Amino acid sequence: MRYGYFDDNNREYVITRPDTPLPWINYLGCQEYFGIVSNTAGGYSFFRDARLRRLTRYRYNNVPFDLGGRYIYLRDDESGAYWSPSWQPTRHDAERYSCRHGMGYSVIGSTYQGIRAETCYFVPLNARLEVWRVTITNERLKRAAVSAFSLVEFCLWDAQDDATNFQRNFSIGQVELDDGVIYHKTEYRERRDHFAWFACSGELAGFDTQREAFLGPWRGWDKPVVVEQGRSANSMAHGWAPIGSHHVRMLLEPGETRQLVFVLGYHENPTDSKFDPPGSQIVNKKLVKPAIARYRDLECVDASFAALRAYWDETLGICQVATPDVHTDRMVNVWNAYQCMATFNMSRSASFYESGIGRGLGFRDSNQDLLGFVHMVPARARERILDLAATQLPSGGAYHQYQPLTKRGNNDVGSNFNDDPHWLILGVAAYLKETGDWSILDEPVPYDNQPGSEETLYGHLLRSFQYTLDRLGPHGLPLIGRADWNDCLNLNCFSDTPGQSFQTTTNKEGKTAESIFIGGLFVLAGKELAAIAQRRGHTSEAASYEVASRAMEETVRAHGWDGEWFVRAYDDFGNKVGSRECAEGKIYIEPQGFCVLAGIGLEDGIARKALNSVRRHLATPHGIVLQQPAYSQYYIHLGEISSYPPGYKENAGIFCHNNPWVIIAEAMLGNGDAAHDYYTRINPSAREPISDVHRCEPYVYAQMIAGRDAPTHGEAKNSWLTGTAAWNFYAITQWILGIRPEYEGLRIEPVIPERWTGFTATRRFRGVTYKIRVERAGPGNTVALSVDGKTIEGRVVTPPANGKAEITVDVRLGGAGA
Ligand code: GLC
Ligand code: GLC
């Protein structure tokens, strides 16, 4: 069952009924000011940091699930009927409801009793504000008298404190009203230099800033007394819960359309000129007034919306494909790329499953996310890499996370995840291959943000690599530390205390438990590092990384091969995890995918064997589960993984993040049918017809789909902020379609399904547009290339020396190719 459809030409997903199985959301903003908006206008906004600079309040895990947002109420001033065009919060049965989630904007509207209304929400480029452009049309045969009320509930900035510290917070709320603009200035009187403002383009009939006055006693958002009575209370908030609401009255002739704009903004004043007049307690509004004036102007709003659309056309235009598969095209050209940008902006901090108060930017996560966005925002990827590296510890290890506002690492979710440092090597390699910007390696970067500790970024990479060499276990495999990629495989935790964090508790010294996954990761990182060193002219250094990488490969083969698949780990007792010797959790996906990705066993058939085992034991129609058999009980020596009921999350859920590792592995072995088949199983667009089963948005990946052991097999959870986005984008574009940036140029090596007759692609790479036409000449994956009509040797197209801005690459695939 579907709840909407893809409008591919407009790059929108159109939701046609409001009661989606879960809120289906979108993101607003792509620089500093961000918002989350659901299909019924729920959500909130923040400036840069979802925890520390929260502009509007949102109550997670609400009933119904999604309540509180950017609401408009309309009222028929003759009949007294009132409703919300976004369905929530009044939930009237309106006609022609639709929500169009587009690139950085959402348009939500409906028609009620002949009044058509829709609101376009977006954050203009280079602005610290959001616009709600409301379009109201009278479709009745007679004149209509309509009132519009806007509504936001302000958050008292620190979202964690806002949700808990009521003894203080109920007394501190402050607002001002000036020229129809509502200013939210809680704590501005003391140490904050920032405030929020909420303006309207129309002439005001009234306003409200005190929640209690707007709603009336004992009422909810669905029945505000002010809207019911058609008259604002002109309330000023003193403590309790400051809100912002404007009231505008309109007379609409039959067929007449009116536009109204509401603007919610964030502003910081210089500390020494916070007040006007100086010495008063009144907010200095001089610096913010130009922005207010600009965005109250409808023409300027239209122009800024057009600029936003142009920005996304340009950004997504960097990589566009036309294949025989609509789901592939849709994800590559629009939604998967867009989701990669959301993970760039949010990491794992703010979604409808991440509360914005818990998680900062993850070291491991952000480095992997680079794979998906480096081609779209290379300059910002560069900055991100340097920020991440600056939180690295002198040992080469990493804080697991850092806060975007301070860019400082924190130990809130522990450290000593022994895989962390290697992702920096892979992230930097991806950046170098995309941009060819070798200068980044010479940037001086501190450790743990300590001035004076600077070393080149290249030096950081060496410490990343050394980190594992300094931490080898009894078999010569990498010690796992707190966990590796699988946060929940906690082999040194041994927690028996309820509520204790698996991420920060350690009861073992950590000298025994080893990870074959990190082994595979190390082999790959070693190869990448050697390639980088080689190109910097450090030949003998390069050789030493290759040697270390090869030695680890031998160790993995000797102690990490179980006969039919790769073992997952050794536990604190020295027993295998993920082996046929185990009663449960006999086979795990991660080492199969990653060891093959690292090139282990490609030649002698063990890679093929491992992937066959994946197919036999782990593949389901909804994707590949993390391990089998699921753990039926809690095992103290395995940790959080066994805390989840069977089939959910890391305990045999389909953890979509690691499925692309197998997809890539199949592609590396030349099996395009299998690779694309696995790709399709978790492709959200391909799952759209079963939206009632899948339940999350059909346009973005979710972190997890319930595995076959779960009673709700096929049900997705935790959409949007997941490494799944980057890895799938990387798998489909670089390995299946085979358009792969390398140091010397763009490699073109498709491994597509046999039945595909070909595809075309446009890829901008280092300033040159590559027009790529792939035609299948026969079965197999052989490749013969010609560039602008001339046959070339090999599979790597180097950037043209003659300054050409565009080249055409013809690819003859299969049959009698080279
Ligand atoms: C979550 C984490 C990621 C981790 C994965 C597996 O997605 O963000 O860092 O690798 O879970 O546990
Ligand atoms: C929890 C989640 C896991 C995630 C981790 C991050 O353990 O189950 O998926 O990676 O938190 O802190």
Side-chain angles (χ1 to χ4, degrees):
M1 179 182 166
R2 290 179 164 86
Y3 294 81
Y5 61 92
F6 286 91
D7 180 344
D8 293 323
N9 289 334
N10 281 313
R11 301 187 163 136
E12 291 173 345
Y13 190 81
V14 188
I15 301 164
T16 50
R17 48 188 289 180
D19 57 340
T20 45
L22 291 162
W24 286 2
I25 71 162
N26 191 12
Y27 285 91
L28 309 177
C30 51
Q31 289 155 326
E32 298 183 311
Y33 184 105
F34 296 101
I36 305 181
V37 61
S38 76
N39 57 308
T40 56
Y44 61 91
S45 303
F46 60 93
F47 178 73
R48 284 182 52 197
D49 188 310
R51 169 166 175 182
L52 299 173
R53 291 285 188 280
R54 187 80 67 96
L55 268 83
T56 57
R57 186 172 282 162
Y58 190 76
R59 294 172 186 80
Y60 275 92
N61 198 6
N62 215 326
V63 180
F65 195 109
D66 172 33
L67 188 60
R70 302 172 184 80
Y71 294 139
I72 301 285
Y73 299 86
L74 294 182
R75 180 175 186 274
D76 182 330
D77 284 332
E78 269 152 36
S79 70
Y82 66 91
W83 70 98
S84 328
S86 61
W87 193 60
Q88 281 270 56
T90 64
R91 295 196 293 279
H92 279 76
D93 280 329
E95 298 150 44
R96 289 160 59 203
Y97 160 88
S98 79
C99 166
R100 286 185 276 136
H101 283 320
M103 303 291 102
Y105 68 90
S106 291
V107 184
I108 310 174
S110 62
T111 304
Y112 189 73
Q113 296 183 351
I115 305 297
R116 170 95 201 133
E118 61 173 35
T119 308
C120 175
Y121 299 96
F122 69 99
V123 174
L125 296 171
N126 309 316
R128 297 177 165 189
L129 53 87
E130 67 186 62
V131 172
W132 314 358
R133 185 181 59 190
V134 189
T135 308
I136 306 170
T137 304
N138 177 11
E139 295 182 345
R140 298 175 182 170
L141 297 173
K142 59 184 185 61
R143 202 181 202 205
V146 177
S147 276
F149 296 87
S150 61
L151 187 270
V152 293
E153 185 183 17
F154 291 110
C155 178
L156 308 184
W157 301 113
D158 179 337
Q160 167 83 36
D161 186 78
D162 181 71
T164 47
N165 193 10
F166 305 111
Q167 61 78 24
R168 168 179 164 85
N169 292 344
F170 284 162
S171 293
I172 62 172
Q174 290 196 305
V175 296
E176 281 181 33
L177 185 89
D178 178 88
D179 185 26
V181 181
I182 294 162
Y183 293 85
H184 173 232
K185 61 166 192 175
T186 299
E187 289 188 344
Y188 187 78
R189 63 194 308 283
E190 28 125 350
R191 291 155 298 173
R192 293 189 188 277
D193 299 339
H194 49 264
F195 56 87
W197 53 274
F198 192 34
C200 169
S201 65
E203 194 190 317
L204 295 198
F207 68 90
D208 276 291
T209 66
Q210 183 67 283
R211 187 179 75 201
E212 200 63 13
F214 178 77
L215 293 179
W218 292 97
R219 288 178 180 235
W221 300 115
D222 56 338
K223 275 201 188 95
V225 71
V226 155
V227 178
E228 189 178 279
Q229 294 175 356
R231 187 181 305 276
S232 290
N234 295 346
S235 58
M236 292 301 287
H238 303 285
W240 296 111
I243 60 159
S245 175
H246 311 93
H247 176 197
V248 178
R249 286 191 221 271
M250 289 164 271
L251 279 179
L252 298 170
E253 298 302 328
E256 187 183 347
T257 293
R258 194 77 66 82
Q259 285 202 327
L260 266 183
V261 172
F262 299 95
V263 192
L264 175 65
Y266 170 92
H267 184 80
E268 281 173 10
N269 267 337
T271 310
D272 56 3
S273 49
K274 280 171 65 171
F275 301 105
D276 182 29
S280 76
Q281 289 290 299
I282 302 167
V283 171
N284 176 4
K285 305 177 185 78
K286 285 200 185 91
L287 295 169
V288 75
K289 283 211 163 151
I292 296 178
R294 181 147 12 102
Y295 288 98
R296 269 172 152 178
D297 175 56
L298 287 163
E299 270 176 40
C300 162
V301 164
D302 290 346
S304 65
F305 186 64
L308 181 68
R309 295 211 71 163
Y311 164 82
W312 279 106
D313 287 347
E314 170 79 14
T315 304
L316 298 177
I318 294 168
C319 178
Q320 290 286 301
V321 303
T323 75
D325 178 43
V326 64
H327 307 299
T328 299
D329 291 4
R330 209 173 254 163
M331 294 313 286
V332 171
N333 295 342
V334 187
W335 291 101
N336 193 179
Y338 182 63
Q339 185 179 3
C340 287
M341 288 305 298
T343 64
F344 165 66
N345 289 321
M346 303 287 134
S347 190
R348 306 295 174 269
S349 69
S351 73
F352 267 31
Y353 308 89
E354 302 278 5
S355 64
I357 59 182
R359 304 226 256 164
L361 273 77
F363 192 88
R364 170 204 296 144
D365 292 337
S366 297
N367 274 303
Q368 290 174 77
D369 290 347
L370 274 164
L371 291 174
F373 62 72
V374 63
H375 66 294
M376 291 186 278
V377 283
R380 299 176 74 193
R382 188 181 207 274
E383 187 189 341
R384 175 65 55 83
I385 288 171
L386 297 174
D387 286 348
L388 284 164
T391 68
Q392 191 176 22
L393 299 165
S395 65
Y399 289 107
H400 205 43
Q401 306 194 334
Y402 75 92
Q403 280 312 123
L405 211 55
T406 60
K407 296 191 173 178
R408 293 287 189 278
N410 69 58
N411 268 331
D412 296 353
V413 287
S415 63
N416 299 329
F417 293 83
N418 281 350
D419 63 315
D420 267 338
H422 293 293
W423 299 110
L424 182 65
I425 301 176
L426 300 197
V428 169
Y431 174 80
L432 294 172
K433 289 174 188 174
E434 179 66 37
T435 62
D437 167 25
W438 288 83
S439 74
I440 192 173
L441 292 174
D442 296 317
E443 289 286 343
V445 184
Y447 289 97
D448 198 6
N449 295 102
Q450 293 309 310
S453 66
E454 287 81 0
E455 195 183 2
T456 60
L457 178 64
Y458 182 67
H460 280 252
L461 301 189
L462 307 192
R463 290 204 200 185
S464 287
F465 194 64
Q466 188 61 37
Y467 180 85
T468 289
L469 292 173
D470 293 342
R471 286 167 184 75
L472 297 176
H475 299 92
L477 288 160
L479 291 170
I480 195 168
R482 207 173 283 289
D484 59 21
W485 172 87
N486 190 331
D487 275 334
C488 299
L489 192 60
N490 315 120
L491 303 180
N492 295 305
C493 179
F494 283 78
S495 171
D496 58 7
T497 307
Q500 218 169 36
S501 161
F502 290 103
Q503 317 285 328
T504 54
T505 308
T506 310
N507 284 307
K508 296 285 168 176
E509 272 188 80
K511 296 273 165 28
T512 311
E514 300 167 293
S515 162
I516 282 93
F517 171 81
I518 304 181
L521 180 60
F522 179 90
V523 171
L524 182 61
K527 289 179 180 175
E528 296 286 8
L529 193 56
I532 292 169
Q534 183 72 44
R535 281 171 183 79
R536 273 175 75 90
H538 307 311
T539 312
S540 61
E541 236 179 86
S544 76
Y545 304 135
E546 257 164 35
V547 168
S549 169
R550 216 167 309 123
M552 182 62 74
E553 178 169 344
E554 285 318 311
T555 309
V556 167
R557 284 167 170 283
H559 302 288
W561 180 250
D562 204 46
E564 296 290 326
W565 57 77
F566 292 99
V567 181
R568 178 64 176 83
Y570 285 89
D571 67 19
D572 183 59
F573 308 108
N575 296 326
K576 288 179 183 166
V577 178
S579 150
R580 66 201 147 138
E581 293 166 16
C582 307
E584 298 184 331
K586 286 173 188 288
I587 171 170
Y588 277 65
I589 188 173
E590 302 103 307
Q592 320 317 325
F594 228 88
C595 289
V596 179
L597 218 136
I600 304 176
L602 291 179
E603 264 86 52
D604 64 359
I606 73 166
R608 186 64 268 160
K609 255 193 186 166
L611 297 186
N612 289 346
S613 298
V614 167
R615 174 164 298 268
R616 194 166 323 121
H617 301 289
L618 302 179
T620 82
H622 294 293
I624 308 168
V625 299
L626 195 143
Q627 98 275 17
Q628 283 287 288
Y631 294 116
S632 62
Q633 62 182 84
Y634 176 59
Y635 294 104
I636 194 168
H637 66 289
L638 298 178
E640 186 169 7
I641 189 167
S642 60
S643 76
Y644 287 112
Y648 293 108
K649 296 279 282 185
E650 280 88 342
N651 188 11
I654 295 156
F655 215 90
C656 298
H657 183 145
N658 53 37
N659 277 223
W661 300 344
V662 173
I663 296 170
I664 296 167
E666 286 287 0
M668 289 175 80
L669 287 170
N671 197 349
D673 283 333
H676 196 264
D677 172 29
Y678 285 143
Y679 172 75
T680 304
R681 292 186 200 197
I682 61 167
N683 181 321
S685 162
R687 296 174 63 76
E688 188 201 16
I690 54 161
S691 287
D692 47 333
V693 176
H694 184 78
R695 301 186 80 229
C696 278
E697 296 90 334
Y699 40 91
V700 289
Y701 288 97
Q703 180 201 54
M704 191 233 4
I705 298 173
R708 66 156 77 102
D709 303 283
T712 56
H713 186 31
E715 179 191 51
K717 277 194 196 117
N718 306 357
S719 53
W720 282 95
L721 303 184
T722 159
T724 312
W727 276 105
N728 272 288
F729 190 83
Y730 177 68
I732 184 72
T733 57
Q734 300 204 20
W735 293 91
I736 295 181
L737 301 179
I739 303 170
R740 189 152 73 245
E742 287 191 353
Y743 295 113
E744 276 70 40
L746 202 56
R747 176 178 289 271
I748 304 187
E749 198 172 83
V751 184
I752 56 177
E754 284 292 345
R755 63 178 188 284
W756 283 20
T757 53
F759 66 92
T760 60
T762 304
R763 177 67 155 86
R764 275 211 303 284
F765 176 69
R766 300 189 199 169
V768 178
T769 301
Y770 289 63
K771 296 265 179 204
I772 301 164
R773 287 190 301 234
V774 177
E775 261 180 62
R776 189 178 273 300
N781 305 307
T782 53
V783 164
L785 293 182
S786 64
V787 175
D788 287 335
K790 275 205 219 82
T791 307
I792 64 159
E793 287 294 313
R795 298 174 171 199
V796 178
V797 185
T798 51
N802 54 11
K804 267 193 167 180
E806 184 176 313
I807 58 175
T808 301
V809 183
D810 281 291
V811 185
R812 214 179 113 89
L813 183 68

